Amino acid sequence: MIGPALEEIATEMNGKVKIVKMNVDENQQIPAQFGIRSIPTLLFIPTSGKPQIAQGALPKASLKEAIDKVLLNK
């Protein structure tokens, strides 16, 4: 549902972010480690600072805003 928007954002940001999709049915350890209980959930892991989570099918503008927030450590 949000995959196409995330792919567009990754292209627009030209290598500043890496977007990875995970099948949580096949990989249950990582979602459990971060307390992820609903899908879709975005897990932002910045190079510095704490990981952050956004849940739900957000529109592209909200996804971009959340990514920018993590990149700028706000």
Side-chain angles (χ1 to χ4, degrees):
M1 190 184 241
I2 61 173
L6 288 172
E7 289 175 18
E8 287 177 21
I9 291 169
T11 300
E12 292 168 6
M13 297 191 81
N14 197 26
K16 292 182 183 176
V17 298
K18 183 176 184 178
I19 296 176
V20 179
K21 298 176 190 178
M22 176 180 286
N23 182 327
V24 296
D25 293 326
E26 294 176 5
N27 303 289
Q28 296 178 2
Q29 184 178 7
I30 292 174
Q33 178 182 347
F34 288 97
I36 295 172
R37 301 194 192 303
S38 65
I39 304 299
T41 295
L42 301 172
L43 175 61
F44 301 102
I45 304 176
T47 54
S48 64
K50 289 182 164 183
Q52 298 177 34
I53 292 177
Q55 295 181 331
L58 303 171
K60 182 180 175 183
S62 297
L63 292 169
K64 176 84 166 82
E65 184 179 319
I67 291 168
D68 286 341
K69 184 178 177 182
V70 171
L71 287 176
L72 300 173
N73 293 318
K74 290 186 178 180

